[in-house]
Amino acid sequence: MGSNHDHGSAAVREGHQKKLIMALALTGSFMIAEVIGAWITGSLALLSDASHMFTDTAALAISLIALQIAKRPADQKRTFGYARLEILASTFNAVLLFLVAMYILYEAYQRFFMPAEIATGAMMWIAIAGLIINLISMRLLASASNESLNVKGAYLEVWSDMLGSLGVIIAALIIRFTGWTWVDTIVAVAIGLWVLPRTWQLLRESLGILMEGVPRGLDVTAIEATILGVDGVTDVHDLHVWAVSSGSNVMTSHVVIRDSADGDAVLAAVVEAVSDAFEIHHCTIQIERAAFHESVPSPSH
């Protein structure tokens, strides 16, 4: 049996944590001001943006907690450690964002029948401040969002907030010069509809990992072909590929080799080939020879 572990994941998580802390400090410090501003101005679009800012703060806090717990080492009860908590956090964030989007759509429906007075001046300046905060937070999280679904969930929430702030600014300008207060409701609906499909994508990716599906971007057929291409390998079976968390891919397989082949050399070559081609850094390979299958009946699956 052979195994190869990625020891760089801890350093990667440390970098993610620092970026999340900075983004949380920025977002959390502005959240209270924006919530109060939404109440004072009476703007539903600003309330939509404020609600997303609140979920941003919650999402960032949850992500940080998950990353902190995920640093705990593996033990006798959790042999893969606590890394899966990052995926649970991203799933929770996706559900939270979905519920907020549905709430905003409901409030927009109510506003169509009960229009409200809107203080466009305060509405616009609050949205501009929110836009600046969101752009800074997005810059902090952009690179890490490609490495972790947990960070990606927080990044998507900040991204939706950024668009929300832009929408609020545009709505404030239109209402100020035309008096069309219904534009505020339209912008709120647009923000909600924009968020929903991206929330679904995040939820689908998170559930895929929780269900131990093949990680996105990996092809089992291609992995099998790579293993079969190693000199000395004659067959591959019981090949399983899944992810413990974002970027932490795992593979197990039974590899049949020629009777004359050097088992240790083939094992090392298979692990190296899979790691280099697919970035799977945790491989457990069982080496078998043809005689093994002649003496042991194949298990039923």
Side-chain angles (χ1 to χ4, degrees):
M1 300 266 253
S3 180
N4 180 38
H5 301 269
D6 181 12
H7 297 288
S9 59
V12 172
R13 287 198 192 98
E14 193 68 29
H16 293 171
Q17 185 173 1
K18 291 179 180 178
K19 292 177 180 180
L20 283 169
I21 289 174
M22 289 187 284
L24 177 59
L26 289 169
T27 306
S29 63
F30 187 75
M31 179 191 67
I32 297 176
E34 190 166 33
V35 170
I36 295 174
W39 176 71
I40 292 174
T41 62
S43 168
L44 182 60
L46 191 56
L47 175 63
S48 176
D49 196 41
S51 299
H52 287 148
M53 188 69 80
F54 172 76
T55 60
D56 283 353
T57 304
L60 289 166
I62 292 168
S63 298
L64 276 169
I65 293 171
L67 278 175
Q68 189 65 31
I69 297 176
K71 291 193 296 185
R72 294 180 181 178
D75 54 38
Q76 294 297 319
K77 291 185 177 180
R78 297 171 183 83
T79 56
F80 275 109
Y82 294 78
R84 186 58 65 89
L85 280 173
E86 294 183 50
I87 305 305
L88 291 175
S90 68
T91 303
F92 179 83
N93 289 342
V95 172
L96 182 62
L97 191 55
F98 178 82
L99 292 175
V100 168
M102 294 304 296
Y103 169 74
I104 294 301
L105 291 177
Y106 171 76
E107 285 294 320
Y109 172 78
Q110 296 288 91
R111 279 290 180 93
F112 275 119
F113 301 99
M114 293 181 295
E117 291 292 327
I118 300 171
T120 56
M123 169 185 172
M124 183 172 65
W125 287 113
I126 292 172
I128 290 174
L131 176 63
I132 294 172
I133 295 295
N134 287 324
L135 288 174
I136 296 173
S137 296
M138 283 177 60
R139 181 67 181 271
L140 289 170
L141 300 176
S143 60
S145 68
N146 295 321
E147 302 169 352
S148 167
L149 274 182
N150 185 28
V151 179
K152 183 177 181 179
Y155 176 78
L156 282 177
E157 300 226 27
V158 175
W159 174 264
S160 67
D161 263 346
M162 186 275 294
L163 288 184
S165 296
L166 281 176
V168 173
I169 294 170
I170 293 172
L173 290 172
I174 293 175
I175 295 170
R176 187 178 185 84
F177 291 105
T178 66
W180 298 343
T181 56
W182 52 266
V183 172
D184 179 71
T185 304
I186 295 298
V187 169
V189 171
I191 294 172
L193 292 179
W194 187 90
V195 168
L196 285 176
R198 286 151 185 81
T199 300
W200 169 248
Q201 179 182 357
L202 174 63
L203 183 60
R204 184 175 61 182
E205 291 183 30
S206 299
L207 290 177
I209 292 181
L210 291 176
M211 294 296 293
E212 297 188 344
V214 176
R216 186 179 180 183
L218 294 183
D219 184 347
V220 173
T221 302
I223 295 174
E224 182 177 357
T226 298
I227 297 174
L228 287 171
V230 174
D231 186 37
V233 175
T234 61
D235 190 24
V236 177
H237 63 96
D238 289 316
L239 174 61
H240 302 284
V241 183
W242 71 99
V244 177
S245 63
S246 302
S248 181
N249 299 328
V250 180
M251 186 197 82
T252 63
S253 180
H254 292 213
V255 175
V256 182
I257 64 175
R258 292 194 303 266
D259 290 338
S260 59
D262 183 337
D264 290 338
V266 172
L267 173 60
V270 168
V271 171
E272 182 179 3
V274 170
S275 178
D276 291 345
F278 305 101
E279 296 187 359
I280 300 176
H281 302 296
H282 189 126
C283 302
T284 301
I285 311 295
Q286 178 169 314
I287 297 296
E288 302 170 352
R289 300 183 188 274
F292 175 82
H293 290 281
E294 293 173 2
S295 60
V296 179
S298 298
S300 58
H301 296 285

